[in-house]
Amino acid sequence: MAATGDDAAAMDSISRAPAAHLAALNPAVSSTAASSQGEGPEVVAETPAVVPKKPSTNSDGGVETAEEAVEPAEPDINELCTDMFDKMSVFLQGELTATCEDYRLLENMNKLTSLKYMEMKDISINISRNLQDLNNKYASLQPYLDQINQIEEQVSSLEQAAYKLDAYSKKLEARFKKLEKR
């Protein structure tokens, strides 16, 4: 159940000014807290809170009153928040720096890859140009190659004719020698 009215205002004032509340309870702690604000929250946290005993106004002589339990003073919330924000700032700065470095690395890799592809493009253009030149030269030599093929065919047929003529001449010679012997 949430506090309302005067209770909420009291709780709010305690959470906003714990040192002032502590000073009201114990003047020794307030002077220590005031002198140690430049030193940091550690000094305030180390000083135990001393609460004076309330005078016993009870008519029962045998019953003692309990001392009020007070938690030690918390370090200044603003200092803790500032420290947290500073550390978060350093953390986020580191994360952003790492991300920026990753992007720089990717950018450099992309540039190098682009340069390699440009080199490969130039090489492929040169190969294409040389291949086209070779195709043009082959096309210009094609009639001569056709003539060579025709000459080869003619030489082949001439060789066959020469073999036939040689065989025929051997037969004639054999007949002539037969006729001569008779």
Side-chain angles (χ1 to χ4, degrees):
M1 181 170 162
T4 58
D6 293 337
D7 291 337
M11 290 171 70
D12 191 40
S13 68
I14 290 172
S15 66
R16 289 188 184 188
H21 177 67
L22 190 59
L25 292 176
N26 190 356
V29 172
S30 67
S31 65
T32 306
S35 66
S36 67
Q37 284 181 359
E39 295 176 15
E42 292 82 18
V43 175
V44 175
E46 291 175 2
T47 308
V50 179
V51 178
K53 289 187 179 181
K54 293 182 182 177
S56 177
T57 58
N58 195 349
S59 62
D60 291 339
V63 178
E64 293 182 26
T65 58
E67 294 180 18
E68 184 177 338
V70 177
E71 293 182 17
E74 294 181 12
D76 188 22
I77 299 293
N78 289 334
E79 289 177 17
L80 290 175
C81 288
T82 303
D83 185 44
M84 180 193 69
F85 284 125
D86 289 343
K87 289 179 180 177
M88 277 300 282
S89 171
V90 168
F91 171 75
L92 291 175
Q93 189 69 30
E95 287 291 317
L96 292 175
T97 302
T99 303
C100 286
E101 291 299 320
D102 288 344
Y103 280 124
R104 263 193 218 105
L105 176 65
L106 283 173
E107 182 181 7
N108 290 339
M109 289 172 62
N110 284 339
K111 285 179 182 177
L112 288 174
T113 304
S114 175
L115 289 174
K116 287 291 183 186
Y117 279 125
M118 294 286 276
E119 289 175 8
M120 290 170 55
K121 177 186 169 192
D122 291 341
I123 290 170
S124 66
I125 286 173
N126 287 336
I127 290 172
S128 174
R129 190 177 305 130
N130 290 339
L131 184 61
Q132 190 174 5
D133 289 345
L134 284 174
N135 284 337
N136 289 338
K137 288 178 182 178
Y138 183 76
S140 67
L141 289 176
Q142 190 62 42
Y144 300 113
L145 293 174
D146 291 341
Q147 285 179 357
I148 290 172
N149 287 338
Q150 287 176 356
I151 291 171
E152 185 180 358
E153 288 173 5
Q154 289 174 355
V155 166
S156 202
S157 66
L158 219 109
E159 186 180 8
Q160 291 298 325
Y163 285 136
K164 286 180 184 178
L165 187 62
D166 186 45
Y168 183 71
S169 66
K170 284 183 181 177
K171 284 182 184 178
L172 271 175
E173 184 182 357
R175 259 191 203 172
F176 180 71
K177 283 186 182 180
K178 258 187 188 180
L179 285 175
E180 236 182 35
K181 285 183 184 181
R182 277 200 211 169

